[in-house]
Amino acid sequence: GAVRAGAVPPGQGAERVAAFVDAVFAIAMTLLAVELPRPPAELIEGDQTRPVMAARLWDFLGDNWGTWLAFVIAFLILGGVWREHHRTLDLVSRVTPRMMWWHVPLLLVVVLLPYASALIGETVANPLAVCLFAGAVAALLLTQAGLLRAVVRDGALRPEADARELRVRAGTLAVVGAFWLLTAGLTWLVDGVTPLWLL
Amino acid sequence: GAVRAGAVPPGQGAERVAAFVDAVFAIAMTLLAVELPRPPAELIEGDQTRPVMAARLWDFLGDNWGTWLAFVIAFLILGGVWREHHRTLDLVSRVTPRMMWWHVPLLLVVVLLPYASALIGETVANPLAVCLFAGAVAALLLTQAGLLRAVVRDGALRPEADARELRVRAGTLAVVGAFWLLTAGLTWLVDGVTPLWLL
Amino acid sequence: GAVRAGAVPPGQGAERVAAFVDAVFAIAMTLLAVELPRPPAELIEGDQTRPVMAARLWDFLGDNWGTWLAFVIAFLILGGVWREHHRTLDLVSRVTPRMMWWHVPLLLVVVLLPYASALIGETVANPLAVCLFAGAVAALLLTQAGLLRAVVRDGALRPEADARELRVRAGTLAVVGAFWLLTAGLTWLVDGVTPLWLL
Amino acid sequence: GAVRAGAVPPGQGAERVAAFVDAVFAIAMTLLAVELPRPPAELIEGDQTRPVMAARLWDFLGDNWGTWLAFVIAFLILGGVWREHHRTLDLVSRVTPRMMWWHVPLLLVVVLLPYASALIGETVANPLAVCLFAGAVAALLLTQAGLLRAVVRDGALRPEADARELRVRAGTLAVVGAFWLLTAGLTWLVDGVTPLWLL
């Protein structure tokens, strides 16, 4: 039976799904920074002159450029997907079970992204680390595309919303996701794939 | 006296309880990934060829399959119980003191699950670690069942909601919880209990 | 000028303060568990028989009983104060600047409680660690009492709410807070103060 | 097409942006305390008398005064900017794309502040660490000023709100941000800049 105003079945209200997803994204984005490598105290302080200390910290930060690149990319992509999710939930009248299922892989990847980011931060040269990171980003984009498709298929859109616009956005997400999947594969063939991500 | 619209006593509004529970679940689920073991940098980078680096990382991830299994199970069970909680709060008109009390053990177990998950990740062979993890999962399911029962007992359901459906769900949770309790006990008798969890 | 319905000045809406406080409490409570000591892997796994492994883990957990006591106490007190806060915000029509100021020390203590809890977990015998933990709990209870008093003083209560009930609750919080302050002081005189907390 | 009541385009509702920003700020503020240095267990416990243990812990905490200063400053500034953000969103009718873009550097800095705070905690003497911390605080204040300016420029204010007041607040934020930028630069010339922050 219909329990809430607007005949939204219990457990399908979009507000609480939004609040939960917000929290997971916010925590994952903040944890990205927790994974950043800390300089060992003895390296950057001590009996040295101030310019030497500064130079050592500078070198330390520079040596870990892979981490910082992964951090910024992961931050921007999580932010972008959150924004996409926000816009999507504003367009739907309820969260159907199928849409809920798409949240399982979506949030699983969000939660794993800081781990993948820390892995690539440890070593940009390791092809498996690069492949896992690119694969996680691809999975994030593709599950978000799947979520958009589920919205259209289940007819969960509000009456005034435009299904075609949603399909276009799902297509864009799928294409960008496929690009990341491609770089994940390329990793095994050539060496310097990471610069491609700056596109 | 009644303070809010709908005569919900102060401190019994379901929205803020929902927001708080959402945050605790979201953080616990994200922290699960923080507990995942990180490969030591010297293992997976360095002067080795790229295939060797990849193989070492692969071996490292494979050696920790217990962690990954615990991670995925804990993630799915936390997600499932959150979903159950979401559906339940959509059916109630207020959160009674008894329901609030059930949240104490519920959230305590949620908060401890990443710890139990890290413990089993360290060693799948340790029967106490396995027992604690299975016990935590069982406690999570059983307290959620207790919460559902408290809803029915306190008559906190919205008029249109079906108490029988809630009792069925509470029963299902109790049965699955008992199954986990059983595997927690079996741990002490036989060796390979963990595969049972995949059921 | 009045911007929102009900003439609540901008920045004084109770909903968003509630959401923010919820998040801080939820994170602090979850982080309490992150501070729990992890057994070194070599202690609890390896070539030993299964009963030996279990016994070692059991010993490890038992040796850290101080941590577990601090964890449960901190968890219950944070939960209790959150509940108190929830009930209070349900009674007010807006969050005045004075109430906002009381949130500064309140949240500062909430955020520091996991640290104090980890400190006492390391060593229950250290009187300064015990004193800091008890002091943090006392500060938490006393700032919450201060917040309740600010609500009454600023006339921020909804018209139907009972100011006397709030004053009683503020008094109770102050008394319990003073008890914790007392144990913080007693720490320096006698040895086994922590059992008092179980009262 | 307008989807929601009040003609707010999808993805521009202020509530969910507020919830997301709340979560990021709350997590960053709580993580500040996680970065605080933990005393090594052997230092503060063991076979020593109780006064010796207390004295050692006291010395440890005192030796890390740089960390505590950075922690309190970062906590207060994050709290202050959150408050500013809260007040601002209460004054707007929607979050325009330009305002959304300003959230990217804003949240990036919020997320990085615990890292900068941990860095300066390790060594107050390192001029680069001091410069990065002061730079992060300056960036936080200046992006918030930019956000306020974007609100005015996009005409996103509610009809009753006062644009002049917002411009004044943006100016104040810019001035304080410039002061922090100045101390970041001064770091390279003179030695004891950090006391200036207490102003």
Side-chain angles (χ1 to χ4, degrees):
Chain A
V3 166
R4 283 218 161 164
V8 176
Q12 302 198 6
E15 291 81 16
R16 199 165 163 200
V17 174
F20 187 65
V21 169
D22 284 358
V24 173
F25 270 84
I27 300 157
M29 284 169 81
T30 318
L31 286 181
L32 285 174
V34 173
E35 310 277 4
L36 292 171
R38 312 298 156 109
E42 60 277 13
L43 187 74
I44 59 169
E45 64 169 358
D47 311 326
Q48 310 142 28
T49 62
R50 296 171 76 247
V52 169
M53 283 193 285
R56 289 202 179 169
L57 179 53
W58 179 258
D59 288 346
F60 176 84
L61 297 176
D63 286 348
N64 290 281
W65 66 268
T67 318
W68 292 93
L69 181 66
F71 165 72
V72 171
I73 289 176
F75 185 88
L76 291 179
I77 284 177
L78 280 176
V81 173
W82 175 80
R83 182 114 181 69
E84 191 66 35
H85 190 273
H86 177 190
R87 203 182 288 142
T88 308
L89 280 208
D90 270 6
L91 290 167
V92 303
S93 52
R94 63 197 177 94
V95 178
T96 63
R98 195 202 307 253
M99 287 163 66
M100 201 63 92
W101 274 114
W102 274 106
H103 278 85
V104 176
L106 181 71
L107 293 182
L108 195 65
V109 175
V110 169
V111 155
L112 282 174
L113 207 57
Y115 182 80
S117 172
L119 219 55
I120 207 181
E122 275 191 48
T123 165
V124 157
N126 192 318
L128 182 55
V130 175
C131 174
L132 288 174
F133 181 77
V137 172
L140 186 60
L141 296 166
L142 293 174
T143 50
Q144 176 68 20
L147 177 61
L148 285 173
R149 234 173 273 246
V151 170
V152 177
R153 200 172 304 167
D154 284 0
L157 279 179
R158 288 161 186 272
E160 326 84 62
D162 184 6
R164 224 172 2 163
E165 190 218 308
L166 228 72
R167 270 198 222 98
V168 171
R169 271 164 49 201
T172 311
L173 281 165
V175 167
V176 182
F179 166 77
W180 278 89
L181 215 54
L182 191 75
T183 65
L186 271 181
T187 286
W188 300 101
L189 302 179
V190 291
D191 203 343
V193 168
T194 44
L196 276 177
W197 295 344
L198 301 177
L199 292 178
Chain B
V3 166
R4 282 220 161 164
V8 175
Q12 302 199 7
E15 292 79 17
R16 199 166 161 197
V17 174
F20 186 65
V21 170
D22 284 358
V24 173
F25 270 85
I27 300 158
M29 285 168 80
T30 318
L31 286 181
L32 285 174
V34 173
E35 310 277 4
L36 292 171
R38 311 299 155 108
E42 61 276 14
L43 188 74
I44 61 169
E45 63 168 358
D47 310 325
Q48 310 142 29
T49 61
R50 296 172 77 247
V52 169
M53 283 192 285
R56 289 203 178 167
L57 180 52
W58 180 257
D59 287 346
F60 175 84
L61 296 176
D63 286 347
N64 290 281
W65 66 269
T67 318
W68 292 94
L69 181 66
F71 165 73
V72 171
I73 289 176
F75 184 89
L76 291 179
I77 284 177
L78 280 177
V81 173
W82 174 79
R83 182 114 182 69
E84 190 67 35
H85 191 273
H86 178 188
R87 203 182 287 142
T88 307
L89 279 208
D90 271 5
L91 290 167
V92 304
S93 52
R94 62 196 178 96
V95 178
T96 64
R98 195 202 307 256
M99 287 163 66
M100 201 62 92
W101 275 115
W102 274 106
H103 279 86
V104 176
L106 181 71
L107 293 182
L108 195 65
V109 176
V110 169
V111 155
L112 282 174
L113 207 57
Y115 182 81
S117 172
L119 220 55
I120 207 181
E122 275 191 47
T123 165
V124 157
N126 193 318
L128 183 56
V130 174
C131 174
L132 288 174
F133 181 78
V137 172
L140 185 61
L141 296 166
L142 293 174
T143 50
Q144 176 68 19
L147 178 61
L148 286 173
R149 233 173 274 246
V151 170
V152 177
R153 200 172 304 167
D154 284 359
L157 279 179
R158 288 162 184 271
E160 326 84 61
D162 184 6
R164 223 169 6 160
E165 191 217 308
L166 228 73
R167 270 198 221 96
V168 171
R169 271 165 49 202
T172 311
L173 281 165
V175 168
V176 182
F179 166 76
W180 278 90
L181 215 54
L182 191 75
T183 66
L186 271 180
T187 286
W188 301 101
L189 303 178
V190 291
D191 203 345
V193 168
T194 43
L196 276 177
W197 295 345
L198 301 176
L199 292 179
Chain C
V3 166
R4 284 218 159 163
V8 175
Q12 302 199 7
E15 292 81 16
R16 200 166 162 198
V17 174
F20 186 65
V21 170
D22 284 359
V24 173
F25 270 85
I27 299 157
M29 285 168 82
T30 318
L31 286 181
L32 285 174
V34 173
E35 310 277 4
L36 293 171
R38 312 298 156 109
E42 60 277 13
L43 188 75
I44 60 169
E45 64 167 358
D47 311 326
Q48 311 143 28
T49 61
R50 296 171 78 247
V52 170
M53 282 192 286
R56 289 202 179 169
L57 180 53
W58 179 258
D59 288 345
F60 176 83
L61 297 176
D63 286 347
N64 291 280
W65 66 269
T67 317
W68 293 92
L69 181 66
F71 165 72
V72 171
I73 288 176
F75 184 88
L76 291 179
I77 284 177
L78 280 176
V81 173
W82 174 79
R83 183 114 181 69
E84 191 66 35
H85 191 273
H86 178 189
R87 203 183 288 142
T88 308
L89 279 207
D90 271 6
L91 290 167
V92 304
S93 52
R94 62 195 177 96
V95 178
T96 64
R98 195 201 307 255
M99 288 162 66
M100 201 63 91
W101 274 114
W102 274 106
H103 278 85
V104 176
L106 181 71
L107 293 183
L108 195 66
V109 176
V110 170
V111 155
L112 282 175
L113 207 57
Y115 182 81
S117 173
L119 220 55
I120 207 180
E122 275 191 47
T123 165
V124 156
N126 193 317
L128 182 56
V130 174
C131 174
L132 287 174
F133 181 77
V137 172
L140 186 61
L141 296 167
L142 294 174
T143 50
Q144 176 68 19
L147 177 61
L148 286 173
R149 233 173 273 247
V151 169
V152 177
R153 200 171 306 165
D154 285 359
L157 280 178
R158 288 161 185 272
E160 327 84 62
D162 185 5
R164 222 169 7 160
E165 191 217 308
L166 229 72
R167 269 198 222 97
V168 171
R169 271 164 49 202
T172 312
L173 281 166
V175 167
V176 183
F179 167 77
W180 279 89
L181 215 54
L182 190 75
T183 66
L186 272 180
T187 286
W188 300 101
L189 303 179
V190 291
D191 203 345
V193 168
T194 44
L196 277 176
W197 295 344
L198 300 176
L199 292 179
Chain D
V3 165
R4 283 217 160 166
V8 175
Q12 302 199 5
E15 292 80 17
R16 200 167 161 198
V17 174
F20 186 65
V21 169
D22 284 359
V24 173
F25 270 85
I27 301 157
M29 285 169 80
T30 318
L31 286 181
L32 285 175
V34 173
E35 309 278 4
L36 292 171
R38 312 300 157 108
E42 60 277 12
L43 188 74
I44 60 168
E45 64 168 358
D47 311 326
Q48 310 142 28
T49 62
R50 296 172 77 247
V52 169
M53 283 192 286
R56 290 203 178 169
L57 180 53
W58 179 257
D59 288 345
F60 175 83
L61 296 176
D63 286 347
N64 291 280
W65 66 269
T67 318
W68 292 93
L69 181 65
F71 165 72
V72 171
I73 288 176
F75 184 88
L76 292 179
I77 284 177
L78 280 176
V81 173
W82 175 79
R83 183 115 181 67
E84 190 68 34
H85 191 273
H86 178 189
R87 205 182 288 142
T88 307
L89 279 208
D90 270 6
L91 290 167
V92 303
S93 51
R94 63 195 178 97
V95 178
T96 63
R98 195 202 306 256
M99 287 164 65
M100 201 62 91
W101 274 115
W102 273 106
H103 278 83
V104 176
L106 181 71
L107 293 182
L108 195 65
V109 175
V110 169
V111 156
L112 282 174
L113 207 58
Y115 183 81
S117 173
L119 220 55
I120 207 181
E122 275 191 47
T123 164
V124 157
N126 193 317
L128 182 57
V130 174
C131 175
L132 287 174
F133 181 76
V137 172
L140 186 60
L141 297 167
L142 293 174
T143 49
Q144 176 68 19
L147 177 61
L148 286 173
R149 234 173 272 246
V151 169
V152 177
R153 200 172 305 167
D154 284 0
L157 279 178
R158 288 161 184 272
E160 326 84 63
D162 184 6
R164 222 167 8 158
E165 191 217 308
L166 229 73
R167 269 198 221 98
V168 171
R169 271 163 50 203
T172 312
L173 281 165
V175 168
V176 183
F179 166 77
W180 278 89
L181 215 53
L182 190 75
T183 66
L186 271 180
T187 286
W188 300 101
L189 302 180
V190 292
D191 203 345
V193 168
T194 44
L196 275 177
W197 295 344
L198 301 176
L199 292 178

